[in-house]
């Protein structure tokens, strides 16, 4: 076997798992302890030794301040975990988990593991994806791709091979989180239509209910409160989880914890029977809590329950019979559970790894962007470069220009969202491109490129075509978008579509009017002497009229008066230049900005057919690039 193999890693909130394709089939790789699940827990012993996985999980309750669980929830944030005066970022903690996973896999496989596909929840934003990639790099792994967990599940089921269009709902109930994704599949395209969930609902809550019940039972019997004893609680937690797992197979189970406490009369032992029906009674409301996110995902995808062709069960907690019953009764179909729900995500990631290494052929995997991306242009307008649901990887280039004469700096404000105005969208970052040679407005050509790589990570670059001066950023958003926020943003865009479009037109009309006023005044100043009295009057009247209409909210009138002013200016400049140098001069006048300018054209790149190619009128936002700094 060679080390060119690419493994798949499910870096989970509770557990992580690693998998590889062997002989055309994905298999899970066990940890050094012999389990397939690596607890995603990192701890530091009192002597400062680093503990990762099951040893760290074991000390979680007795030594909570030196243990970190569920670090995935902090990915992409500035959270720090401090222990022994040493502070660690979420990436570093995740890297410690990945290092253990990597080392154990290497010991098992007998060759170095260097490349990996890592999965993330579909709703993870750019900074969370970037942080995941960084964690891989810190652990010495080349993360060749980040893929969405529901997409990985579909791959494990081989659903990429389905010729017909199918709608799949992935029901993922893990240890600490519940995620529902609705995907459209067909011809190798995986489109996440909607995601919803509850990141505070998972198997741990079911364990907690058993623990609470055990504590009460013990108190009734011995009048001793176990809650005050950390070590006893740790034992109870482990026993509760084991009992829960057994109850997925058995209708009743025995929970026995000898020497759990002691009083003056001697040691006390916990010894109780828990039936599945009692367990289901204790946890009935938790099962009910899964319904709302599932319905929200359906609603956001604009689908009814009957339109779901398949439900895939993912996450260890979907083994509970009560959960499977709920899925059955909700959708009226038998959920697919042929693949171990603990392993399905990692197995799918390994399949993707094998596709990338060329080991598995005849498969394509296409993912899409969840929200549109673009920049802010003059008037606070959001100009999209990449539309929502565009297949990734993708690169788009478009040329912008300056809004004012002599403008030497432009600010590229990168945003994500569906609304027409920048202020209503999510700001991802900004940067400046400086040292643009001073020139009349509309002349500089600044090429803006958005590049989303296969992992969903966004690179934005701006280049001044005259000097080749370039600036760029990799988007690291300061805050994170939850799946609820994404859904809310898409919903808002639909609600406000009409109002936003009106404001955008209004804003563009005003900007155009202001720029034309500016030009007209300059024309009067610089060419005034050559103008006849009538020409001067025509221009002054048009200026006054436009000023007047700018005092109103009548967009149509502003547009109309802008046109009147443009016509007046054009007449003046053409005549003035004709008198000195004929047609050529008139052209020069137009180019110099003293006449209505030839707009800078938008350009599309990145392999997609230019949506704006051809000879149609350019849009206003191409014309008027940015505010002056
Ligand atoms: P995951 O986050 O997908 O690794 O899921 C872990 C959760 O699944 C933990 O809460 C486990 O206790 C739970 N789990 C694993 N196996 C079973 C089972 N057979 N029955 C019920 N819960 C299980």
């Amino acid at each position: 076997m060679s080390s060119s193999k690419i493994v798949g890693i499910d870096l989970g909130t509770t557990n992580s798992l690693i998998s590889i394709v062997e002989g055309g089939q994905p298999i899970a790789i066990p940890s050094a302890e012999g389990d397939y699940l690596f607890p995603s827990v990192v701890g530091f012993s009192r002597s400062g030794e680093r503990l990762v996985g099951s040893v760290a999980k074991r000390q979680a309750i007795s030594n909570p301040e030196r243990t970190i669980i569920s670090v995935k929830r902090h990915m992409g944030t500035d959270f720090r975990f401090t222990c022994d005066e040493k502070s660690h970022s979420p990436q570093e903690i995740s890297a410690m988990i990945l290092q253990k996973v990597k080392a154990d896999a290497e010991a098992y496989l007998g060759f170095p593991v260097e490349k990996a596909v890592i999965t993330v929840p579909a709703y993870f934003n750019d900074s969370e994806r970037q942080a995941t990639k960084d964690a891989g790099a810190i652990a010495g792994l080349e993360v060749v791709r980040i893929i969405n967990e529901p997409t990985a599940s579909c791959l494990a089921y081989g659903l990429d091979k389905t010729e017909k269009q199918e709608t799949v709902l992935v029901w993922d109930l893990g240890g600490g989180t519940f995620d529902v994704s609705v995907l459209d599949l067909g011809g190798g395209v995986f489109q996440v239509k909607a995601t919803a969930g509850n990141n505070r609902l998972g198997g741990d809550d079911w364990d907690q209910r058993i623990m609470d019940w055990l504590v009460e039972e013990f108190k009734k019997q011995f009048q001793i409160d176990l809650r005050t004893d950390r070590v006893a609680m740790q034992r109870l937690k482990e026993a509760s989880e084991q009992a829960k797992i057994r109850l997925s197979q058995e209708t009743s189970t025995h929970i026995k914890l000898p020497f759990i406490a002691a009083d003056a009369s001697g040691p006390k032992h916990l010894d109780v029977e828990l039936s599945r029906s009692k367990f289901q009674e204790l946890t009935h409301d938790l099962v009910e809590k899964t319904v709302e996110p599932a319905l929200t995902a359906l609603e956001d995808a604009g689908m009814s329950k009957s339109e779901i062709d398949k439900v895939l069960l993912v996450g260890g907690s979907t083994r509970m019979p009560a959960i499977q019953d709920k899925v059955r009764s909700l959708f009226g179909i038998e959920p697919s559970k042929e693949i171990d729900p603990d392993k399905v995500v990692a197995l799918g990631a390994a399949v993707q790894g094998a596709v990338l290494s060329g080991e598995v052929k005849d498969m394509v995997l296409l993912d899409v962007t969840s929200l549109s991306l673009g920049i802010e242009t003059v008037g606070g307008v959001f100009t999209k470069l990449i539309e929502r649901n565009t297949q990734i990887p993708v690169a788009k280039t478009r040329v912008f220009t300056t809004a004012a004469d002599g403008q030497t700096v432009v600010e590229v404000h990168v945003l994500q969202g569906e609304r027409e105005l920048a202020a209503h969208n999510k700001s991802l970052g900004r940067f400046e491109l400086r040292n643009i040679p001073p020139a009349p407005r509309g002349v500089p050509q600044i090429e803006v490129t958005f590049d989303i790589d296969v992992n969903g990570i966004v690179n934005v670059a701006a280049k001044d075509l005259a000097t080749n001066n370039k600036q760029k950023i990799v988007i690291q958003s300061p805050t994170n978008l939850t799946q609820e926020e994404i859904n809310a943003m898409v919903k808002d865009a639909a609600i406000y579509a009409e109002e936003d479009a009106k404001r955008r037109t209004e804003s563009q009309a005003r900007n155009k009017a202001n720029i034309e006023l500016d030009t007209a005044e300059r024309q009067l100043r610089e060419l005034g002497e050559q103008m006849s009295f009538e020409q001067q009057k025509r221009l002054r009247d048009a200026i006054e009229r436009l000023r007047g209409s700018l005092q109103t909210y009548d967009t149509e009138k502003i547009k109309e008066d802008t046109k009147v002013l443009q016509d007046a200016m054009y007449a003046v400049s053409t005549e003035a230049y004709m008198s000195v140098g004929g047609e050529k001069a008139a052209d020069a006048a137009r180019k110099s900005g003293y006449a209505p300018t030839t707009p800078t054209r938008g350009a599309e790149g990145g392999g997609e057919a230019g949506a704006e190619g051809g000879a149609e009128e350019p849009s206003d936002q191409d014309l008027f690039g940015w505010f002056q700094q």
Side-chain angles (χ1 to χ4, degrees), residues 504-524:
R504 180 190 177 113
T505 316
E506 216 173 86
S507 164
Q508 284 176 344
R510 279 184 180 276
N511 288 315
K512 196 166 175 169
N514 278 319
I515 286 169
E516 294 305 342
L517 276 173
D518 189 50
T519 311
E521 269 159 6
R522 194 168 46 191
Q523 202 178 41
L524 264 179

Side-chain angles (χ1 to χ4, degrees), residues 142-153:
E142 184 193 338
V143 181
V144 288
R145 185 126 347 152
I146 299 274
I147 64 168
N148 291 330
E149 286 159 11
T151 305
S153 306

Side-chain angles (χ1 to χ4, degrees), residues 519-541 543 565 567-577 579-580 594-595:
T519 311
E521 269 159 6
R522 194 168 46 191
Q523 202 178 41
L524 264 179
R525 245 185 354 259
E526 295 178 13
L527 296 177
E529 281 176 9
Q530 298 165 40
M531 289 183 206
S532 64
F533 175 74
E534 285 74 25
Q535 278 175 332
Q536 283 202 19
K537 182 161 181 340
R538 182 178 169 190
L539 212 50
R540 284 191 209 282
D541 284 353
I543 290 173
L565 180 63
D567 287 347
M569 282 193 291
Y570 191 66
V572 168
S573 58
T574 306
E575 203 169 302
Y577 279 92
S579 67
V580 292
Y594 288 88

Side-chain angles (χ1 to χ4, degrees), residues 422-586:
H424 293 152
N425 291 305
K426 169 97 188 158
S427 173
L428 293 180
R430 16 178 130 220
F431 65 97
E432 285 181 346
L433 181 67
R434 299 185 161 270
N435 303 325
I436 299 166
R441 66 172 176 81
V443 172
Q445 295 209 314
I446 291 132
E447 189 183 79
V448 176
T449 303
F450 270 59
D451 193 331
I452 310 185
D453 69 12
V454 284
N455 306 312
I457 290 165
V458 187
N459 287 273
V460 183
K463 186 164 100 179
D464 175 8
L465 294 180
T467 58
N468 276 338
N469 202 353
K470 202 171 164 178
Q471 272 303 325
K472 61 178 178 177
I473 46 169
V474 176
I475 296 299
Q476 310 262 4
S477 76
T479 51
N480 296 309
L481 285 179
T482 63
Q483 73 240 46
E484 286 88 1
E485 282 174 294
I486 291 183
N487 293 341
M489 282 166 84
V490 173
K491 245 191 214 156
D492 272 3
I495 296 170
Y496 295 109
E498 210 177 307
E499 193 184 312
D500 281 1
K502 203 172 135 234
R503 287 186 62 182
R504 180 190 177 113
T505 316
E506 216 173 86
S507 164
Q508 284 176 344
R510 279 184 180 276
N511 288 315
K512 196 166 175 169
N514 278 319
I515 286 169
E516 294 305 342
L517 276 173
D518 189 50
T519 311
E521 269 159 6
R522 194 168 46 191
Q523 202 178 41
L524 264 179
R525 245 185 354 259
E526 295 178 13
L527 296 177
E529 281 176 9
Q530 298 165 40
M531 289 183 206
S532 64
F533 175 74
E534 285 74 25
Q535 278 175 332
Q536 283 202 19
K537 182 161 181 340
R538 182 178 169 190
L539 212 50
R540 284 191 209 282
D541 284 353
I543 290 173
E544 278 319 297
R545 225 169 109 163
L546 184 54
R547 282 236 168 82
S549 56
L550 275 172
Q551 302 298 313
T552 72
Y553 290 95
D554 187 344
T555 306
E556 281 317 302
K557 185 155 166 33
I558 294 173
K559 278 186 178 167
E560 203 181 291
D561 291 345
T562 303
K563 177 83 177 58
V564 170
L565 180 63
Q566 281 177 328
D567 287 347
M569 282 193 291
Y570 191 66
V572 168
S573 58
T574 306
E575 203 169 302
Y577 279 92
M578 285 291 269
S579 67
V580 292
E583 258 311 325
K584 254 183 161 173

Side-chain angles (χ1 to χ4, degrees), residues 63-313:
N63 202 4
E65 66 284 354
R66 302 178 72 85
T67 312
I68 168 135
I69 58 163
S70 305
V71 68
K72 189 172 177 176
R73 294 192 209 278
H74 304 293
M75 290 301 263
T77 70
D78 51 14
F79 168 90
R80 310 286 301 183
F81 175 69
T82 309
C83 191
D84 296 333
E85 288 162 13
K86 262 188 97 177
S87 147
H88 306 274
S89 66
Q91 290 91 310
E92 287 171 296
I93 300 289
S94 295
M96 293 173 194
I97 299 166
L98 287 171
Q99 254 165 359
K100 155 92 175 141
V101 169
K102 177 179 184 292
D104 285 10
E106 285 174 341
Y108 178 84
L109 295 167
F111 58 81
V113 170
E114 281 153 359
K115 295 178 181 178
V117 170
I118 302 184
T119 58
V120 294
Y123 58 81
F124 252 29
N125 70 12
D126 191 63
S127 58
E128 291 163 312
R129 287 167 197 266
Q130 186 69 52
T132 306
K133 220 179 160 192
D134 293 346
I138 299 170
L141 282 169
E142 184 193 338
V143 181
V144 288
R145 185 126 347 152
I146 299 274
I147 64 168
N148 291 330
E149 286 159 11
T151 305
S153 306
C154 292
L155 276 175
Y157 271 92
L159 293 179
D160 55 300
K161 298 192 197 86
T162 50
E163 286 301 313
K164 61 178 187 327
Q165 199 75 26
E166 272 193 324
T167 303
V168 177
L169 185 139
V170 178
W171 179 289
D172 182 352
L173 184 63
T177 55
F178 175 51
D179 297 314
V180 183
S181 313
V182 178
L183 291 95
D184 260 352
L185 314 183
V189 179
F190 291 69
Q191 187 172 355
V192 179
K193 300 279 287 182
T195 60
N198 180 344
N199 57 13
R200 293 276 176 273
L201 181 70
D204 293 348
D205 298 301
W206 273 259
D207 302 345
Q208 187 65 43
R209 290 293 167 85
I210 300 182
M211 269 175 91
D212 293 345
W213 179 77
L214 290 175
V215 166
E216 288 311 314
E217 291 295 300
F218 196 78
K219 205 161 65 209
K220 257 191 255 164
Q221 202 181 345
F222 300 108
Q223 291 77 48
I224 296 175
D225 188 358
L226 292 175
R227 282 204 174 83
T228 55
D229 183 346
R230 257 196 194 161
V231 177
M233 289 303 277
Q234 171 63 21
R235 286 179 68 195
L236 273 186
K237 184 170 163 48
E238 276 174 23
S240 300
E241 185 180 2
Q242 291 311 315
K244 172 191 74 174
I245 291 173
R246 286 195 302 276
L247 286 171
S248 291
Q249 299 292 330
E250 299 156 16
T251 51
S252 190
T253 191
H254 213 86
I255 306 171
K256 243 178 153 168
L257 287 169
F259 303 99
I260 189 89
D263 65 9
S265 65
K268 301 284 171 278
H269 316 297
L270 183 140
D271 189 348
V272 288
E273 188 75 18
L274 177 62
S275 67
R276 187 190 282 174
S277 61
K278 179 69 190 172
F279 170 59
Q280 292 186 344
E281 184 192 310
L282 293 171
T283 55
H284 177 75
D285 60 311
L286 296 175
V287 176
E288 286 308 310
K289 275 195 183 172
T290 59
V291 176
E292 197 196 306
L295 297 182
T296 305
L298 277 180
E299 196 187 319
D300 290 348
M303 299 208 156
S304 65
K305 291 181 213 165
S306 59
E307 287 173 277
I308 299 295
D309 299 305
K310 275 200 176 77
V311 179
L312 304 188
L313 295 183

